């Protein structure tokens, strides 16, 4: 226990300004989220028939609707901060973690007197990783509270609304970003270049991960016909729409890009979502197909979040392993 506290104090002293900056940023963001949530809930309690999810007449509820709309827009923007926070923290705390010690020469001293560089590395990362989990855990909780205030009528446990901008996926991405930043810092060995390089590498890696995630999610989609005369009846409100297309009269389902490749065009659509190539075809009843969406049902939300979060943590564990290799092979200078 004493050794853990010693390494914790050492980790804080070496990055105290970055840690204080992150703590203040997280605290300010969390407080703002809770404030916006309280304002939305307060307006809903004061004018229950005027603000969403109620459907109100604008004339009699103009003041309440205007106030609600303004706060709702700002609150929605706050959730963007929770999306970017893991990557910002990864750069700010991860990149200097090893690079600062290599740059200052303290790492070489520790390696020369220590029995294991890997043990030294794990001690160095433990306190910072715990700090990141706690800090992003606060954002994970407050982002869920704010999302619930924005959409009180929805069951967010099975709803893709604000996917990636709320909940524990924020923590998983933060751990992945932290380890990735640490790897870049260990490779470069200088603080400022490591921070700049980590931002670039992080953007490339997580963009690639996002593309891979999109391809994987395509295999989870279900096809739903769009019926404009019965809004919402064709698809549950919590679903995640991945792509759109149409179901041909023959029963074949294609995306719009595949349809264009065949040289087919859609010019008219009726309120049932039926598609026609021309006005004459619509009058004659020559159906081309039905407008459809390819979406992941909201019931799969928890499983998708778990898989995406596991992928982010997996990237972090891989980066940690590579960092151990770099530290183990790096020569003292």
């Amino acid at each position: 226990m004493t050794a853990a506290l010693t390494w914790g104090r050492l980790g804080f002293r070496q990055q105290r300004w970055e840690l204080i900056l992150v703590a203040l940023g997280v605290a300010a963001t969390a407080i703002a989220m809770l404030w916006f949530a309280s304002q939305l809930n307060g307006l809903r309690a004061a004018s229950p028939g005027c603000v969403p999810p109620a459907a109100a007449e604008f004339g009699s509820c103009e003041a309440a609707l205007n106030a609600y709309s303004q706060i709702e827009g700002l609150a929605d923007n706050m959730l963007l901060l929770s999306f970017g926070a893991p990557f910002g923290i990864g750069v700010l705390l991860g990149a200097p973690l090893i690079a600062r010690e290599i740059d200052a020469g303290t790492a070489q001293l520790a390696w020369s007197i220590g029995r294991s560089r890997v043990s030294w590395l794990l001690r160095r990362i433990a306190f910072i990783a715990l700090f990141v989990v706690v800090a992003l855990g606060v954002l994970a909780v407050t982002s869920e509270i704010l999302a619930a205030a924005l959409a009180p009528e929805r069951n967010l446990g099975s709803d893709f609304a604000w996917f990636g901008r709320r909940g524990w996926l924020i923590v998983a991405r933060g751990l992945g970003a932290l380890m990735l930043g640490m790897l870049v810092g260990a490779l470069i060995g200088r603080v400022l270049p490591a921070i700049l390089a980590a931002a670039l590498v992080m953007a490339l890696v997580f963009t690639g991960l996002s593309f891979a995630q999109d391809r994987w999610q395509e295999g989870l989609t279900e096809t739903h016909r769009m019926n404009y005369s019965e809004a919402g009846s064709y698809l549950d409100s919590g679903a995640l729409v991945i792509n759109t297309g149409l179901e041909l009269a023959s029963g074949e389902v294609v995306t719009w890009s595949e349809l264009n490749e065949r040289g087919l065009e859609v010019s008219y659509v009726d309120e049932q979502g039926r598609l026609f190539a021309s006005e004459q075809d619509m009058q004659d009843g020559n159906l081309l197909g039905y407008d459809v969406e390819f979406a992941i049902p909201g019931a799969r939300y928890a499983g998708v979040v778990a898989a995406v979060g596991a992928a982010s943590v997996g990237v972090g564990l891989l980066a940690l392993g590579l960092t151990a290799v770099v530290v183990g092979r790096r020569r003292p200078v």
Side-chain angles (χ1 to χ4, degrees):
M1 183 66 177
T2 302
L5 291 175
T6 300
W7 278 96
R9 286 194 296 267
L10 177 62
F12 176 77
R13 284 201 302 268
Q14 290 181 325
Q15 289 189 274
R16 60 183 178 275
W17 296 117
E18 293 95 332
L19 291 169
I20 290 172
L21 178 62
V22 169
L24 290 175
V26 167
T29 303
I31 291 172
M33 285 183 176
L34 293 176
W35 184 83
F36 279 117
S38 69
Q39 292 298 304
L40 291 170
N41 290 331
L43 283 171
R44 194 172 290 111
S47 305
C50 287
V51 299
E57 294 293 334
F58 185 77
S60 60
C61 297
E62 181 176 356
L65 280 172
N66 285 338
Y68 186 91
S69 178
Q70 183 178 11
I71 294 176
E72 182 184 37
L74 293 172
D76 189 77
N77 289 334
M78 286 299 301
L79 290 176
L80 288 174
L81 293 179
S82 61
F83 176 82
F87 310 113
I89 290 176
V91 171
L92 190 61
L93 297 182
L97 185 60
I98 306 300
R100 178 177 284 118
E101 297 217 36
I102 295 174
D103 205 4
T106 54
Q108 287 80 359
L109 176 62
W111 296 343
S112 64
I113 62 177
R115 290 179 296 179
S116 170
R117 293 189 184 189
V118 173
S119 178
W120 171 88
L121 173 65
L122 293 177
R123 290 190 179 98
R124 286 294 292 115
I125 191 63
F127 171 75
I128 302 300
L130 178 61
F131 177 87
V132 168
V133 169
V134 172
L136 292 180
V138 170
L139 289 185
V141 172
T142 53
S143 63
E144 288 282 12
I145 293 173
L146 180 56
L150 283 165
E153 76 283 6
R154 300 170 75 161
N155 176 15
L156 294 180
S158 56
D159 195 317
F160 283 93
W162 301 287
F163 179 52
R165 295 163 59 185
R166 62 180 175 92
W168 293 103
L169 184 54
I170 297 171
V171 180
R173 284 177 170 165
L175 286 173
L178 176 70
M179 302 300 178
L180 195 58
M182 181 181 64
L183 171 60
V184 175
L187 286 168
I188 294 178
R190 296 182 62 191
V191 176
L192 182 57
I195 289 176
L196 297 176
L200 177 60
V201 170
M202 212 167 290
L204 292 174
V205 169
F206 278 95
T207 298
L209 196 63
S210 179
F211 279 121
Q213 172 187 320
D214 291 343
R215 301 291 79 75
W216 169 70
Q217 288 178 341
E218 287 176 357
L220 303 178
T221 60
E222 297 179 2
T223 303
H224 299 266
R225 284 187 183 179
M226 299 177 68
N227 188 339
Y228 301 108
S229 64
E230 301 175 17
S233 64
Y234 56 88
L235 184 64
D236 74 271
S237 61
L240 177 65
V241 177
I242 302 298
N243 204 346
T244 58
L246 70 160
E247 179 184 342
L248 299 177
S250 62
E252 182 183 4
V253 177
V254 297
T255 64
W256 286 106
S257 60
E258 292 171 339
L259 186 73
N260 292 333
E261 290 173 0
R262 300 184 185 186
L264 298 176
E265 294 183 359
V266 175
S267 300
Y268 292 87
V269 57
D270 65 12
E271 64 180 11
Q272 279 77 43
R274 296 182 301 179
L275 305 173
F276 302 89
S278 66
E279 184 178 9
Q280 186 62 48
D281 282 344
M282 185 169 64
Q283 293 175 354
D284 296 340
N286 296 325
L287 178 68
L288 178 62
Y290 296 91
D291 209 357
V292 298
E293 288 183 326
F294 308 106
I296 303 176
R300 290 195 169 189
Y301 173 74
V304 171
V305 168
V308 174
S312 297
V313 173
V315 167
L317 292 175
L318 177 60
L320 178 61
L322 293 174
T323 304
V325 173
V326 171
V327 168
R329 294 184 175 183
R330 194 175 187 111
R331 291 184 178 182
V333 294

